[in-house]
Amino acid sequence: MASEPAMRPWILSEINYAYVKENPYQVAVLPMGATEPHNLHLPYGTDTFEADAIGSRVCEAAHQRGAKVVMLPPIPYGTETNQSAFPLSMNVNPSTLGQIIADLVDSLANHGVHKLLILNSHGGNDFKPLLRELHGSTPVQIFLADWFRGTSADVKSDIFENPDDHAGEMETSLALAYFPHLVSRNAETGVLNADAGETNATRFSAVNQGWVSITRPWHLLTTNSGSGNPHQATAEKGEKLMQILVERLSQFLVELSEAKLDEPFPF
């Protein structure tokens, strides 16, 4: 009989009260996902699966270096108002999502965990205004990592051939590396069952150039919800990106766990 997998003490959903009583935490990580289509080949839970895969590995690496860090259960919903035309794209409005996070922050404060990293895995979520709103109203010091933006911005062009917005080469590479059984491919050729992720331009050059921004209606922007060509994705590229994310974010968590919450924190 195969042995049961061991409890991972950095994953809140796996640990028990007996462990928590004897092992207080300094830092919590809250992974934020979404439920939405990702072209024709990736699962609706892609953002949540990514958040879990990245968050669990980041927390493991930090734990192994002595950080008192725990990963909270991922939130599987995000803001989807611009994908509302696609079936079963499950929306939670920004104000509602912000209230959920604020309630969880109150829980952390009540339990003496005063350091939080929000690990965001969904482009439709914008949490910086929430950080500004909560600043000064809670003892919890809140940090934000959009892993697909700032955390990896300087290395994406070194790893991937094609610019990626949604369900393209980067996300598909992570999926091939960490949940390949959920990636739809031709059974004989192995080719992805996906379109090329081409997008339509608006009628306004200022919007197309990025000088003016809008909330893009995804059913008009894309063919099948994909924005970015996924066909050069490989598991090896996903693993390379993961290594960088783990190195950068686990180092931060180690430093955050050890940091004193004094008056000039975080300076």
Side-chain angles (χ1 to χ4, degrees):
M1 179 180 295
S3 60
E4 293 292 328
M7 177 192 77
R8 294 177 292 176
W10 54 89
I11 305 293
L12 180 58
S13 58
E14 296 184 9
I15 59 181
N16 51 50
Y17 181 41
Y19 183 87
V20 171
K21 285 176 66 177
E22 301 299 326
N23 297 276
Y25 292 100
Q26 290 289 324
V27 182
V29 174
L30 176 60
M32 300 298 300
T35 301
E36 61 179 0
H38 280 71
N39 204 316
L40 297 172
H41 65 297
L42 293 180
Y44 269 59
T46 292
D47 290 351
T48 308
F49 296 144
E50 291 168 340
D52 184 84
I54 295 166
S56 60
R57 287 165 175 80
V58 166
C59 289
E60 178 181 14
H63 172 86
Q64 290 176 345
R65 294 176 55 189
K68 297 178 180 179
V69 59
V70 64
M71 190 183 89
L72 308 179
I75 303 295
Y77 300 110
T79 298
E80 303 289 346
T81 51
N82 58 347
Q83 281 212 30
S84 60
F86 289 104
L88 295 178
S89 181
M90 304 303 293
N91 175 61
V92 175
N93 285 331
S95 56
T96 308
L97 206 56
Q99 188 58 60
I100 291 171
I101 294 174
D103 287 350
L104 295 175
V105 167
D106 285 344
S107 291
L108 291 173
N110 182 53
H111 301 305
V113 180
H114 291 168
K115 302 167 187 174
L116 170 66
L117 173 65
I118 299 173
L119 178 63
N120 182 37
S121 190
H122 174 51
N125 293 334
D126 182 7
F127 294 130
K128 196 65 177 289
L130 178 64
L131 266 64
R132 294 190 175 104
E133 183 173 340
L134 294 178
H135 181 73
S137 66
T138 173
V140 179
Q141 298 290 328
I142 308 172
F143 297 81
L144 171 64
D146 295 309
W147 67 259
F148 53 91
R149 287 194 279 246
T151 311
S152 60
D154 62 323
V155 299
K156 286 192 290 188
S157 61
D158 297 332
I159 301 173
F160 304 106
E161 305 296 326
N162 301 289
D164 195 319
D165 191 11
H166 177 72
E169 185 181 349
M170 180 174 67
E171 287 200 289
T172 303
S173 293
L174 284 171
L176 290 172
Y178 299 103
F179 43 99
H181 59 294
L182 298 177
V183 180
S184 178
R185 288 176 280 186
N186 184 286
E188 296 181 358
T189 65
V191 175
L192 296 171
N193 292 324
D195 65 35
E198 296 174 339
T199 58
N200 299 314
T202 75
R203 68 186 66 179
F204 302 105
S205 60
V207 174
N208 300 333
Q209 293 290 337
W211 303 334
V212 173
S213 65
I214 60 171
T215 294
R216 298 171 294 176
W218 223 252
H219 65 293
L220 301 177
L221 175 73
T222 69
T223 304
N224 292 297
S225 81
S227 174
N229 193 331
H231 288 283
Q232 289 181 279
T234 67
E236 290 73 22
K237 292 177 181 179
E239 291 167 355
K240 186 173 183 180
L241 176 61
M242 180 67 78
Q243 180 181 0
I244 293 170
L245 293 173
V246 169
E247 288 175 355
R248 292 180 173 186
L249 293 178
S250 66
Q251 173 63 30
F252 168 70
L253 290 179
V254 170
E255 295 172 1
L256 184 59
S257 178
E258 297 173 350
K260 182 180 179 181
L261 289 176
D262 51 18
E263 186 174 351
F265 181 93
F267 295 95

